[in-house]
Amino acid sequence: MPYAPWGQHMPYQWKIPTQVAWEQTVLEGDADPVVLRFFETRPVEELYDTVRDPDNIHNLAAAPSYATTLKQLQQRLRQQQIQHRDAGILPDYMLRQLTQEKGGTIYELLQDTESFPIETYLDAADRALGLQSSGPDNLINDLQHDDPALRYWAAIGCVLQAQDRGAVTTALEGCLEDSHKLVRLIASWALLEQDDHDAALTCLQTLVTSAYDGPINDALNVINYMNPSIAVKTLPQVTHFQQSLDRKRLGSPRVYDMDFCKFLIEKLGNLP
């Protein structure tokens, strides 16, 4: 996703001395654009000439001379996603919740064209990512749609795209009480990126507090990606969740959550 950096902070990776040195170079402002790229957010699309540029340094996605090639590859990718009923169009947590609501297995959900209209979801993702023309009306319609997947992608679009808020804000506020926690999470993020929104902050804090019954990995990632001056207001909830993990002495499925919490506590606790 273009709101996430290429490099994710993983505790085992940061035990490698060269990784720590790499990050320190960036923090000290001594990194050139190529070295810095690992810590920056990704572009929506990437296209490389792997013969002339085997290290994939020069992104040609926006180059006019490669427009035809890019269009052809976009079409081929879409065909593959439709053919194979690409589950990656939705987060794992939402797929599990949809399966619980509709019954059956995730595989059965993906094969049901009514329950999982893949082409509709691909269009919604393209609108959110700016690959299809979109505006406030499109976002509002999707934010108010009966399908939670469309509401999720519209909220992502609000995070990524600068919009004249107005009615979009009202629609996002309605999503703060959505039946799908991922929609609530992304809607709260979108509102907080634009303003110090009390209801959105409370929503985000509540999602972390109730993390045992929610998309905790997604919530921690959002806190990591969002404006630090807002993210720091979730520090008590992140700390409480991390301490509850320590107390419960949970096994390996929660080790990543515990390490991620410790990373966020250190990051947010060291803000000036």
Side-chain angles (χ1 to χ4, degrees):
M1 295 294 286
Y3 55 73
W6 268 293
Q8 307 295 302
H9 195 287
M10 294 175 283
Y12 76 86
Q13 189 171 350
W14 258 254
K15 293 177 182 178
I16 303 171
T18 52
Q19 179 66 56
V20 176
W22 187 357
E23 182 181 42
Q24 190 61 33
T25 299
V26 171
L27 293 174
E28 292 173 355
D30 295 329
D32 65 34
V34 175
V35 173
L36 179 62
R37 187 179 302 173
F38 181 78
F39 296 91
E40 295 182 322
T41 54
R42 304 169 183 172
V44 173
E45 293 183 305
E46 296 176 72
L47 178 65
Y48 300 99
D49 185 334
T50 56
V51 175
R52 294 190 179 96
D53 179 25
D55 294 321
N56 293 351
I57 300 298
H58 305 289
N59 185 8
L60 303 171
S65 58
Y66 285 85
T68 300
T69 300
L70 180 66
K71 187 67 175 178
Q72 291 172 344
L73 292 174
Q74 288 173 335
Q75 293 171 346
R76 287 169 60 184
L77 174 60
R78 184 181 177 92
Q79 290 168 357
Q80 290 289 312
Q81 289 178 291
I82 294 170
Q83 178 184 345
H84 297 289
R85 314 290 299 166
D86 184 10
I89 195 67
L90 296 179
D92 291 346
Y93 187 86
M94 179 168 280
L95 286 173
R96 293 197 299 271
Q97 188 170 352
L98 288 172
T99 301
Q100 291 170 356
E101 293 171 356
K102 299 177 184 296
T105 65
I106 290 180
Y107 176 81
E108 290 168 334
L109 171 73
L110 298 178
Q111 302 310 308
D112 187 335
T113 56
E114 291 187 6
S115 298
F116 192 80
I118 181 66
E119 294 186 61
T120 299
Y121 294 165
L122 291 172
D123 288 339
D126 283 350
R127 288 193 294 273
L129 298 174
L131 298 177
Q132 284 187 16
S133 59
S134 179
D137 290 342
N138 296 105
L139 290 176
I140 292 169
N141 289 338
D142 284 351
L143 287 169
Q144 297 175 338
H145 201 280
D146 290 339
D147 192 325
L150 297 188
R151 300 196 298 273
Y152 166 79
W153 273 111
I156 290 288
C158 290
V159 171
L160 297 176
Q161 302 176 28
Q163 295 286 344
D164 180 13
R165 288 293 166 166
V168 174
T169 296
T170 302
L172 279 169
E173 289 171 339
C175 290
L176 295 179
E177 299 182 4
D178 200 276
S179 60
H180 277 252
K181 292 182 179 181
L182 268 174
V183 177
R184 281 185 243 165
L185 174 65
I186 305 303
S188 65
W189 183 15
L191 288 165
L192 288 167
E193 285 295 300
Q194 298 297 320
D195 196 6
D196 191 5
H197 196 288
D198 291 341
L201 179 60
T202 299
C203 180
L204 177 58
Q205 291 170 329
T206 301
L207 286 168
V208 177
T209 302
S210 60
Y212 282 105
D213 187 33
I216 183 58
N217 291 148
D218 300 273
L220 294 177
N221 274 313
V222 163
I223 292 169
N224 188 31
Y225 300 148
M226 69 190 312
N227 186 326
S229 65
I230 300 296
V232 72
K233 297 179 182 180
T234 68
L235 186 54
Q237 288 75 31
V238 174
T239 301
H240 179 270
F241 179 66
Q242 185 264 329
Q243 291 173 344
S244 72
L245 290 175
D246 281 344
R247 285 198 303 271
K248 290 179 180 292
R249 298 179 182 276
L250 295 177
S252 57
R254 288 292 188 181
V255 169
Y256 177 80
D257 296 339
M258 188 184 301
D259 288 338
F260 201 172
C261 285
K262 290 178 179 177
F263 162 70
L264 286 176
I265 291 167
E266 180 179 349
K267 172 185 175 180
L268 299 176
N270 290 332
L271 289 177

